[in-house]
Amino acid sequence: MKIGLLSDTHKKEGRSQKVIDHLKRQGADFLIHAGDIVKPEILEQLKNSGLRYVAVYGNNDAQLVQYHSRYNLVQEPHYFKLGGINFKLMHLPFYMNSDAEVVIFGHTHIFECDFKNHTLFLNPGETCARNEPFSSCAMLEITDTSLIVTHYSRAIGSNSFDERHYTFERS
Protein backbone atom coordinates (compact mmCIF):
# COMPACT_ATOMS: atom_id res chain seq x y z
CA MET A 1 0.00 0.00 0.00
CA LYS A 2 1.19 3.51 -0.83
CA ILE A 3 0.12 6.46 1.31
CA GLY A 4 0.64 10.02 0.07
CA LEU A 5 1.46 12.57 2.77
CA LEU A 6 1.20 16.34 2.74
CA SER A 7 1.08 19.05 5.36
CA ASP A 8 1.08 22.78 5.92
CA THR A 9 -0.60 23.75 2.66
CA HIS A 10 -1.88 26.99 4.24
CA LYS A 11 -3.52 29.01 1.46
CA LYS A 12 -1.56 27.59 -1.48
CA GLU A 13 -4.22 25.81 -3.55
CA GLY A 14 -2.06 25.55 -6.67
CA ARG A 15 0.81 23.96 -4.79
CA SER A 16 -1.47 21.56 -2.93
CA GLN A 17 -3.09 20.44 -6.19
CA LYS A 18 0.32 19.85 -7.79
CA VAL A 19 1.35 17.73 -4.79
CA ILE A 20 -1.90 15.73 -4.81
CA ASP A 21 -1.57 15.12 -8.56
CA HIS A 22 2.07 14.06 -8.14
CA LEU A 23 1.26 11.62 -5.32
CA LYS A 24 -1.53 10.10 -7.43
CA ARG A 25 0.85 9.70 -10.39
CA GLN A 26 3.30 7.93 -8.07
CA GLY A 27 0.58 5.41 -7.16
CA ALA A 28 -0.86 6.67 -3.88
CA ASP A 29 -3.79 4.58 -2.63
CA PHE A 30 -4.64 6.92 0.25
CA LEU A 31 -3.86 10.55 1.21
CA ILE A 32 -3.07 11.96 4.65
CA HIS A 33 -2.96 15.71 5.32
CA ALA A 34 -1.14 16.53 8.57
CA GLY A 35 -2.86 19.86 9.18
CA ASP A 36 -2.76 23.60 8.54
CA ILE A 37 -5.10 23.16 5.60
CA VAL A 38 -6.51 26.68 6.11
CA LYS A 39 -8.88 26.80 3.10
CA PRO A 40 -11.93 24.62 2.42
CA GLU A 41 -10.88 24.52 -1.25
CA ILE A 42 -7.94 22.33 -0.24
CA LEU A 43 -10.32 19.93 1.52
CA GLU A 44 -12.31 19.86 -1.72
CA GLN A 45 -9.10 18.95 -3.61
CA LEU A 46 -8.57 16.00 -1.27
CA LYS A 47 -12.19 14.91 -1.68
CA ASN A 48 -12.04 15.28 -5.47
CA SER A 49 -8.77 13.33 -5.73
CA GLY A 50 -10.73 10.10 -6.06
CA LEU A 51 -8.67 8.61 -3.22
CA ARG A 52 -9.64 7.87 0.33
CA TYR A 53 -8.13 10.46 2.65
CA VAL A 54 -7.96 11.80 6.20
CA ALA A 55 -6.96 15.29 7.33
CA VAL A 56 -6.20 16.47 10.85
CA TYR A 57 -6.92 19.97 12.14
CA GLY A 58 -3.85 22.19 12.48
CA ASN A 59 -3.37 25.23 14.67
CA ASN A 60 -4.54 27.46 11.75
CA ASP A 61 -7.68 25.45 10.96
CA ALA A 62 -10.28 26.59 13.53
CA GLN A 63 -12.42 28.14 10.77
CA LEU A 64 -12.74 24.72 9.11
CA VAL A 65 -14.83 23.25 11.95
CA GLN A 66 -17.97 24.27 10.04
CA TYR A 67 -16.94 21.73 7.35
CA HIS A 68 -16.26 18.87 9.78
CA SER A 69 -19.16 16.66 8.68
CA ARG A 70 -18.59 17.34 4.97
CA TYR A 71 -14.95 16.17 4.88
CA ASN A 72 -12.92 13.51 6.67
CA LEU A 73 -11.47 15.92 9.27
CA VAL A 74 -10.23 14.57 12.60
CA GLN A 75 -8.87 16.00 15.83
CA GLU A 76 -5.42 15.23 17.15
CA PRO A 77 -4.13 12.81 18.12
CA HIS A 78 -6.08 10.55 15.79
CA TYR A 79 -5.38 6.80 15.90
CA PHE A 80 -6.33 4.55 13.00
CA LYS A 81 -5.25 1.40 11.18
CA LEU A 82 -4.34 1.32 7.50
CA GLY A 83 -2.55 -1.35 5.49
CA GLY A 84 -2.18 -3.46 8.61
CA ILE A 85 -0.29 -0.66 10.42
CA ASN A 86 -1.31 1.33 13.48
CA PHE A 87 -1.03 5.08 12.84
CA LYS A 88 -1.15 8.18 14.98
CA LEU A 89 -1.88 11.44 13.14
CA MET A 90 -1.44 14.90 14.56
CA HIS A 91 -0.42 18.38 13.48
CA LEU A 92 1.42 19.66 16.53
CA PRO A 93 4.34 17.44 17.55
CA PHE A 94 3.15 17.17 21.16
CA TYR A 95 2.38 13.45 21.34
CA MET A 96 5.74 12.13 20.12
CA ASN A 97 5.80 8.74 21.81
CA SER A 98 6.02 5.24 20.37
CA ASP A 99 2.38 4.22 20.83
CA ALA A 100 1.85 3.49 17.11
CA GLU A 101 3.99 1.95 14.39
CA VAL A 102 3.83 5.19 12.36
CA VAL A 103 3.47 8.71 13.81
CA ILE A 104 2.65 11.41 11.26
CA PHE A 105 2.85 15.08 12.15
CA GLY A 106 3.25 18.53 10.61
CA HIS A 107 3.60 22.08 11.97
CA THR A 108 7.39 22.45 11.81
CA HIS A 109 7.44 22.86 7.99
CA ILE A 110 10.52 20.60 7.96
CA PHE A 111 10.71 17.10 6.47
CA GLU A 112 11.57 14.56 9.16
CA CYS A 113 11.96 10.82 8.86
CA ASP A 114 13.21 9.07 11.97
CA PHE A 115 12.88 5.45 13.10
CA LYS A 116 13.12 4.99 16.90
CA ASN A 117 11.92 2.21 19.21
CA HIS A 118 10.19 0.39 16.33
CA THR A 119 8.24 3.56 15.41
CA LEU A 120 8.52 5.68 12.27
CA PHE A 121 8.14 9.41 12.98
CA LEU A 122 7.33 11.19 9.73
CA ASN A 123 6.70 14.82 8.79
CA PRO A 124 6.22 15.38 5.04
CA GLY A 125 7.41 18.99 5.28
CA GLU A 126 5.65 22.07 3.95
CA THR A 127 3.61 21.98 0.78
CA CYS A 128 3.10 25.76 0.84
CA ALA A 129 6.81 26.64 0.34
CA ARG A 130 6.54 29.43 2.92
CA ASN A 131 9.86 28.85 4.70
CA GLU A 132 11.79 27.17 1.87
CA PRO A 133 11.95 27.77 -1.90
CA PHE A 134 10.40 24.36 -2.56
CA SER A 135 7.18 22.46 -2.02
CA SER A 136 7.48 19.16 -0.14
CA CYS A 137 5.49 15.95 0.30
CA ALA A 138 6.17 12.27 0.96
CA MET A 139 5.02 8.77 0.12
CA LEU A 140 4.97 5.92 2.62
CA GLU A 141 4.96 2.47 1.07
CA ILE A 142 4.07 -0.42 3.35
CA THR A 143 5.30 -3.90 2.54
CA ASP A 144 5.27 -7.06 4.65
CA THR A 145 8.86 -6.44 5.75
CA SER A 146 9.56 -2.72 5.24
CA LEU A 147 8.39 0.85 5.55
CA ILE A 148 9.70 2.75 2.52
CA VAL A 149 9.60 6.55 2.60
CA THR A 150 10.13 8.73 -0.45
CA HIS A 151 10.55 12.45 0.16
CA TYR A 152 9.60 14.62 -2.81
CA SER A 153 10.54 18.28 -3.24
CA ARG A 154 9.73 20.58 -6.12
CA ALA A 155 11.51 23.92 -6.55
CA ILE A 156 9.04 26.75 -7.06
CA GLY A 157 8.74 27.37 -10.80
CA SER A 158 9.80 23.82 -11.66
CA ASN A 159 7.52 21.06 -12.87
CA SER A 160 9.67 18.17 -11.67
CA PHE A 161 10.07 16.66 -8.22
CA ASP A 162 13.39 15.54 -6.74
CA GLU A 163 13.22 12.47 -4.52
CA ARG A 164 15.12 10.78 -1.71
CA HIS A 165 14.42 7.29 -0.37
CA TYR A 166 14.55 5.83 3.14
CA THR A 167 13.87 2.19 4.04
CA PHE A 168 13.19 0.79 7.51
CA GLU A 169 12.69 -2.86 8.40
CA ARG A 170 9.46 -3.69 10.22
CA SER A 171 9.74 -5.74 13.37
Side-chain angles (χ1 to χ4, degrees), residues 95-111:
Y95 311 98
M96 300 294 282
N97 51 22
S98 298
D99 59 348
E101 194 169 349
V102 177
V103 175
I104 297 171
F105 63 102
H107 187 65
T108 65
H109 290 237
I110 299 168
F111 172 76

Side-chain angles (χ1 to χ4, degrees), residues 8 10 15 107-110 126 128-134:
D8 295 283
H10 289 270
R15 292 178 185 157
H107 187 65
T108 65
H109 290 237
I110 299 168
E126 64 175 7
C128 68
R130 182 178 76 185
N131 297 342
E132 299 290 341
F134 56 85

